[in-house]
Amino acid sequence: MSTTRHFLTDLDFSQAEQTKVLDLALAMKADKYGYTPYAGPQTVAVFFDKTSTRTRVSFHAGIAELGGSPLIINSAESQLGHKESISDSAKVLERMVSTIVWRTYAQSGLEEMAQNSSVPVINALSDDYHPCQLIADLLTVREHKGALAGLKMTYLGDAANNMANSYLLAGVTAGMHVAIAGPEGYLPADSIVAAAKERAALTGGSVTITTDAAAALQDADVVATDTWVSMGQEEEKEARLSLFTDYSVTSAAMKHAKDDAIVLHCLPAYRGYEIEADVIDGPQSVVFDEAENRVHAQKAVMTWLMVASGLAEDARMEL
């Protein structure tokens, strides 16, 4: 009997599994309607506790393209986690839907959901991680750069947020050399760094954590950033804008990276703050390829989890 597989953090896929998911995403991009693990149509429940554009649209489109029916539920429309316990909700949902996708706040809620669910649970963003975004990002890098292992990927900005955590963990899982730069007090937690180093020791990747943006950018193949003011941090906006100025991805900063470096941003972007307009709208930017790839990446994640959990079959997939 198969064990249900979930995707809650970037470490839930080994290097080999991550590679297979990326292979599958490329195949799905070339054959948009060729994979139907949700034929029926089966229902996928997609919960949103946080606002969204790309995540909402990409999951809805992806589920439909996989032959399924997306059930999009906003937090105000659901009893999940407030009128009904997460564990009870999971036990109800597993009898009605084939996969549970949740964009939420606390990582612990996702973990409780997965512990009580016999169908895959997918983290569509939490306060700690954004693993689906990183599958899309790695897919984009692979399209533009080929193999991932051995590339240097640099992230600048708020290095204590969910995106920095996921860049670090997913990057080293791919065998990349990941450099994270931010101001003192806004660097990844020791536990995240330790987990990244442990994974890097298995994959040939490496971890660099620094407050020196120029050093982190040196010879980078990939440069990534994210908003300095995430949801729930609006009251800190002015202080953050001043604090992170030296970590902006500007044309001058990009001179430290390789001439053919590509630039990622998960969007929404705030030009003139974390990234200069000339950079995000310039020839090195691949942010709209990256946004499109959310669909293909998430289709691959959902399909891989369904097959690995014994809930769907596809002879073309090697687990």
Side-chain angles (χ1 to χ4, degrees):
M1 182 176 177
S2 298
T3 300
T4 304
R5 292 293 301 270
H6 307 288
F7 191 45
L8 308 183
T9 84
D10 306 87
L11 296 179
D12 283 337
F13 290 151
S14 67
Q15 184 178 28
E17 289 171 343
Q18 184 193 75
T19 299
K20 289 172 182 175
V21 169
L22 292 170
D23 290 343
L24 182 59
L26 286 169
M28 288 179 158
K29 189 169 184 176
D31 186 9
K32 190 173 183 179
Y33 303 108
Y35 296 76
T36 56
Y38 295 127
Q42 298 175 53
T43 299
V44 176
V46 190
F47 290 91
F48 286 92
D49 294 342
K50 291 187 174 185
T51 58
S52 169
T53 300
R54 277 152 298 281
T55 299
R56 181 182 297 263
V57 175
S58 59
F59 267 110
H60 190 130
I63 293 161
E65 290 171 13
L66 293 174
S69 176
L71 175 61
I72 308 296
I73 306 168
N74 294 321
S75 58
E77 304 165 344
S78 165
Q79 297 174 339
L80 175 60
H82 47 96
K83 291 184 178 180
E84 183 173 58
S85 70
I86 294 171
S87 60
D88 281 358
S89 294
K91 291 169 186 175
V92 170
L93 289 166
E94 69 177 1
R95 295 170 179 240
M96 298 181 178
V97 305
S98 296
T99 301
I100 301 165
V101 180
W102 193 7
R103 181 180 175 95
T104 189
Y105 293 90
Q107 182 70 19
S108 58
L110 284 155
E111 292 169 357
E112 184 177 353
M113 179 73 80
Q115 287 164 5
N116 290 279
S117 174
S118 60
V119 300
V121 176
I122 297 173
N123 179 357
L125 177 143
S126 70
D127 288 344
D128 294 335
Y129 309 100
H130 199 354
C132 287
Q133 179 67 57
L134 260 292
I135 297 296
D137 288 6
L138 294 179
L139 176 62
T140 307
V141 175
R142 197 163 126 175
E143 286 181 315
H144 286 269
K145 293 290 185 183
L148 299 174
L151 294 178
K152 180 178 180 180
M153 182 164 64
T154 296
Y155 173 89
L156 299 185
D158 182 355
N161 71 6
N162 51 6
M163 284 306 303
N165 290 346
S166 281
Y167 273 116
L168 187 53
L169 297 174
V172 296
T173 295
M176 301 174 81
H177 304 293
V178 184
I180 304 287
E184 200 67 55
Y186 293 86
L187 297 172
D190 290 344
S191 59
I192 298 291
V193 176
K197 288 182 176 178
E198 183 177 349
R199 177 59 61 90
L202 301 175
T203 65
S206 68
V207 173
T208 300
I209 309 296
T210 181
T211 58
D212 188 335
L217 285 167
Q218 194 64 43
D219 295 324
D221 298 286
V222 182
V223 177
T225 190
D226 183 29
T227 178
W228 294 339
V229 186
S230 297
M231 285 177 278
Q233 298 173 335
E234 289 79 8
E235 293 182 359
E236 306 171 35
K237 180 177 179 179
E238 293 307 316
R240 282 175 165 268
L241 294 184
S242 173
L243 186 66
F244 293 114
T245 299
D246 291 341
Y247 301 90
S248 180
V249 179
T250 62
S251 298
M254 287 298 298
K255 291 179 180 178
H256 296 286
K258 289 182 178 177
D259 292 341
D260 63 348
I262 59 173
V263 175
L264 300 174
H265 191 308
C266 65
L267 303 177
Y270 300 92
R271 290 163 173 80
Y273 294 102
E274 75 272 10
I275 192 164
E276 194 175 71
D278 286 348
V279 176
I280 195 170
D281 299 319
Q284 291 175 279
S285 173
V286 295
V287 300
F288 296 109
D289 292 346
E290 178 188 6
E292 177 197 341
N293 280 339
R294 288 292 300 278
V295 178
H296 314 300
Q298 287 159 188
K299 286 172 67 175
V301 167
M302 290 186 284
T303 301
W304 195 92
L305 291 173
M306 286 290 287
V307 174
S309 300
L311 300 172
E313 294 182 2
D314 196 309
R316 294 166 294 180
M317 284 184 58
E318 179 186 350
L319 296 178

